[in-house]
């Protein structure tokens, strides 16, 4: 399996403190109808830090069941303890996930050598394709370019990286360093176009929770090297992409948008809380401007 195309970092809907299973299924159906390549359950956008282990595994099970082989299911099974990441990844594999997203360990901030052995150990304990996840804004460190290339060379099932470091130059460095066939995917919706101009081959999207068809179109245009049309679409949707990433910390704006659109309840688990009234009003105005809300 190759990582190429549009993947949705799917939200986790709650109702009365529990996972809202019907809403989760409807969200997945919306993604599949929108033409996405796959989706990522229990990532940061899926509020994985506030899920217990049983809920984490259950969401993966539900994701696989509801996808029913119609798209890829790339389970978020990373952790800042290698043994926990291995346990979650093996559970995902046993449940039928088609890939795994492995976040850079957060808070304990290992060295590059520690990162190498962390990801290598996970890869050695699963047959799933592994997508690394570089997100220094949340983890406090980055997966170095040379560390990424070393993992790509030495671990046959580490085949991609989700790049959320915000640097076009870093994408260019990765393209030069990694083996042919190793995929680089944008982890930031507003940076999809410049990342793909530099050689990225896909996107793990937040915005596609509510506009899957549009994000699929943007990525497809880039993959077809139609960057003129892609740039026009980027300019058109940029205000929405910006709002979803700036009005509050992710995933608060995207879940709030989904709630306004009737896709789920506006329920979070502490320490996340709903948006301020001012931010909510701004978000609703943006959604109306894009005909996503009456």
């Amino acid at each position: 399996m190759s990582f190429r195309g549009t993947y949705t970092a799917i939200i986790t809907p709650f109702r009365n403190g529990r996972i809202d299973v019907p809403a989760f299924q409807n969200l997945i159906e919306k993604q599949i109808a929108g033409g996405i390549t796959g989706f990522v359950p229990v990532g940061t956008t899926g509020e994985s830090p506030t899920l217990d282990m049983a809920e984490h595994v259950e969401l993966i099970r539900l994701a696989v069941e509801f996808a029913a082989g119609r798209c890829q299911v790339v389970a978020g099974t990373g952790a800042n303890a290698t043994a926990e990441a291995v346990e979650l990844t093996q559970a995902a594999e046993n449940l039928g996930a088609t890939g795994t997203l492995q976040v850079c360990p957060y808070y304990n901030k290992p060295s590059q050598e520690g990162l190498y052995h962390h990801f290598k150990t996970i890869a050695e304990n699963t047959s799933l394709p592994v997508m690394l996840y570089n997100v220094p804004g949340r983890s406090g460190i980055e997966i170095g370019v040379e560390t990424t290339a070393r993992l790509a060379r030495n671990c046959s099932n580490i085949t991609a990286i989700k790049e959320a470091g915000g640097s076009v130059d870093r994408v260019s460095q990765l393209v030069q360093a990694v083996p042919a066939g190793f995929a680089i995917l944008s982890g930031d919706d507003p940076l999809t176009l410049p990342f793909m101009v530099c050689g990225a081959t896909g996107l793990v999207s937040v915005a596609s929770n509510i506009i899957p068809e549009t994000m699929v179109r943007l990525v497809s245009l880039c993959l077809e090297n139609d960057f003129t049309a892609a740039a026009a679409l980027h300019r058109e949707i940029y205000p929405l992409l910006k709002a979803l990433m700036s009005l509050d910390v992710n995933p608060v704006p995207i879940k709030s948008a989904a709630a306004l659109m009737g896709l789920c309840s506006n329920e979070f688990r502490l320490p996340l809380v709903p948006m301020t009234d001012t931010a909510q009003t701004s978000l609703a105005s943006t959604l109306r401007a894009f005909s996503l809300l009456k």
Side-chain angles (χ1 to χ4, degrees):
M1 187 191 79
S2 63
F3 293 113
R4 178 184 175 91
T6 309
Y7 298 80
T8 299
I10 200 163
I11 60 177
T12 298
F14 298 123
R15 186 170 295 278
N16 300 321
R18 305 182 65 141
I19 296 167
D20 187 341
V21 175
F24 188 57
Q25 183 173 15
N26 289 338
L27 284 164
I28 291 170
E29 290 299 328
K30 180 178 179 65
Q31 300 311 306
I32 294 171
I36 52 93
T37 309
F39 64 94
V40 181
V42 284
T44 307
T45 304
E47 297 177 67
S48 58
T50 61
L51 298 170
D52 63 33
M53 182 73 79
E55 289 175 321
H56 197 126
V57 173
E58 176 64 4
L59 270 169
I60 296 170
R61 186 193 70 78
L62 290 169
V64 172
E65 177 186 330
F66 296 152
R70 293 174 292 168
C71 68
Q72 296 177 23
V73 178
V74 184
T77 57
N80 62 350
T82 306
E84 180 182 343
V86 168
E87 180 182 356
L88 282 170
T89 302
Q90 290 177 337
E93 182 172 2
N94 291 334
L95 289 166
T98 54
T100 171
L101 179 71
Q102 292 292 330
V103 69
C104 184
Y106 38 88
Y107 190 72
N108 45 8
K109 297 176 70 174
S111 67
Q112 291 300 308
E113 190 66 17
L115 288 177
Y116 174 78
H117 287 284
H118 169 78
F119 292 121
K120 183 173 182 287
T121 298
I122 295 165
E124 289 173 342
N125 283 277
T126 183
S127 62
L128 290 178
V130 176
M131 182 190 299
L132 306 176
Y133 181 14
N134 183 57
V135 57
R138 288 186 182 267
S139 62
I141 55 171
E142 71 172 17
I143 309 170
V145 171
E146 177 51 37
T147 302
T148 303
R150 185 181 171 198
L151 287 162
R153 289 193 304 266
N154 297 339
C155 305
S156 61
N157 58 332
I158 296 182
T159 61
I161 186 168
K162 175 186 174 183
E163 184 52 48
S167 170
V168 175
D169 183 62
R170 181 178 149 93
V171 173
S172 295
Q173 291 179 45
L174 284 167
V175 169
Q176 296 294 319
V178 298
F182 185 89
I184 302 165
L185 292 93
S186 173
D188 291 300
D189 286 309
L191 292 174
T192 303
L193 175 62
F195 277 20
M196 294 192 73
V197 167
C198 290
T201 57
L203 164 69
V204 181
S205 174
V206 170
S208 58
N209 277 279
I210 60 171
I211 52 167
E213 297 91 347
T214 302
M215 300 314 294
V216 167
R217 175 70 174 154
L218 177 63
V219 171
S220 296
L221 287 169
C222 290
L223 289 174
E224 294 163 4
N225 292 317
D226 190 349
F227 291 111
T228 300
L233 181 56
H234 168 83
R235 287 192 295 270
E236 178 186 333
I237 64 176
Y238 179 78
L240 175 60
L241 304 184
K242 184 67 172 177
L244 291 174
M245 298 307 295
S246 63
L247 288 173
D248 205 319
V249 66
N250 183 53
V252 175
I254 188 61
K255 180 178 268 190
S256 300
L260 286 168
M261 294 169 62
L263 299 173
C264 65
S265 68
N266 194 34
E267 186 174 325
F268 301 89
R269 287 182 175 175
L270 289 171
L272 295 183
V273 295
M275 301 171 72
T276 65
D277 290 343
T278 300
Q280 186 87 347
T281 299
S282 177
L283 177 62
S285 176
T286 301
L287 293 176
R288 290 190 188 95
F290 284 85
S291 301
L292 295 170
L293 197 64
K294 293 181 179 180

